[in-house]
Amino acid sequence: YAYLNDVPVVASMMNTNTNDIFYPAGYSRVISVGATGTNNYRANPFIWGGGSTFGNHIDLCAPGDMIFGISAFSDTDYSTFWSGTSQAAPHVAGVIGLIKSLNDTLSVDSIEALLINGAVDQVGNPSEDTPGWDIYHGHGLLNAYNTLFLANAGVDTQVACDSFAWIDGNTYTSSNSSATHVVTNGAGCDSLVRLDLTINTPSSGTDTQNACDSLVWIDGN
C-alpha cells in the first residue's frame, strides 16, 4: 500500500552479523539499509558486538556505529551514542526527506534509483566492498551530497517503446536497451563521469548526467 502510494519505506537489516532475513527489510519494495563503522567498513562488530546483517536483500549502507543520540535515561542528554543498523536507516530516511523537499512527486523507484546512483562504492573493506552491488554494502555507502545533486540535476525520461538517440550517437530501443558513455572531465575535476542509459520494458527508463564542464544535454541545450 505504501509503495503504490509513492511512500518510501526504509528498514534496518538487523545486527546479527549473518545473512538471516528480517522483516520488513526482506521485502522487495522496502529500502533495506546496512551499517558502516567510523572507518566506512561494514560494522563488524559494533562497539557492543554483533555486526551488520548482510544478504541479497540489502540496498545500501549508512553510518551506524557510535552515532550520538539522546540518553535512555534523560530527554535532554545527548552525550551518549548508539550503534546498530537502526542508527543507519534513519540517515537514509533523512536524505529521502531532503529529496522529497526538492520534488515531492517522485515515485519510490525513482527515489531508490537516486539513492543507489548517489551512493559511493568501494569505500569499505576490499574483501567485502567489491565493485558494484555486493551482499555486504549493497550499492554502496549513502552520500547525501551526490544524491541531492542528482535529484536536482536534469533528468530525461524516455518511454520504452520509443527509439532514443543517446549521447554516443547510437539509437536505442527496448530490444537494444543499455548503453554506457564516458565523459572526460576538464580542469578542476578529479575523475571521469560515466553516463548510463537503461530502457526498461514496459516501464520508462531514466538517464542522468553531470559534469564539471559545460555539456550539451540530450534536449539540445
Side-chain angles (χ1 to χ4, degrees), residues 17 33 41 49-50 74 76 80 94 98 101 110 124 127 159 165 187 191 212 214 218:
N17 197 29
V33 184
Y41 283 28
S74 168
T76 59
T80 189
L98 295 173
S101 74
S110 296
S127 67
V159 178
S191 64
C212 297
S214 61
I218 51 180

Side-chain angles (χ1 to χ4, degrees), residues 202-221:
S203 60
S204 61
T206 300
D207 58 83
T208 301
Q209 58 185 18
N210 67 81
C212 297
D213 293 340
S214 61
L215 181 68
V216 179
W217 178 238
I218 51 180
D219 61 4
N221 297 319

Side-chain angles (χ1 to χ4, degrees), residues 19-194:
N19 62 353
D20 293 338
I21 300 176
F22 295 88
Y23 293 90
Y27 291 122
S28 61
R29 290 177 172 175
V30 168
I31 300 170
S32 304
V33 184
T36 56
T38 56
N39 59 357
N40 290 334
Y41 283 28
R42 179 174 68 93
N44 175 31
F46 293 105
I47 192 68
W48 52 264
S52 180
T53 301
F54 51 91
N56 291 325
H57 54 300
I58 189 172
D59 291 301
L60 72 162
C61 56
D65 198 22
M66 299 180 68
I67 305 300
F68 276 102
I70 196 165
S71 169
F73 307 104
S74 168
D75 59 4
T76 59
D77 179 7
Y78 284 88
S79 64
T80 189
F81 58 83
W82 303 85
S83 297
T85 57
S86 292
Q87 313 309 309
H91 284 86
V92 176
V95 172
I96 290 175
L98 295 173
I99 293 172
K100 297 281 278 186
S101 74
L102 295 174
N103 185 347
D104 63 1
T105 66
L106 290 174
S107 67
V108 173
D109 290 339
S110 296
I111 290 171
E112 185 171 5
L114 288 169
L115 292 168
I116 289 170
N117 287 298
V120 181
D121 191 22
Q122 291 186 273
V123 294
N125 187 333
S127 67
E128 291 186 345
D129 196 358
T130 54
W133 181 92
D134 58 72
I135 63 172
Y136 299 103
H137 297 81
H139 293 279
L141 178 63
L142 175 73
N143 186 291
Y145 177 86
N146 289 350
T147 301
L148 294 174
F149 185 91
L150 293 174
N152 203 37
V155 175
D156 185 56
T157 301
Q158 303 297 325
V159 178
C161 55
D162 292 343
S163 61
F164 176 59
W166 180 231
I167 192 171
D168 60 6
N170 295 323
T171 299
Y172 293 88
T173 64
S174 57
S175 61
N176 178 27
S177 61
S178 182
T180 297
H181 186 71
V182 176
V183 177
T184 303
N185 286 332
C189 303
D190 59 3
S191 64
L192 299 179
V193 175
R194 194 184 78 179

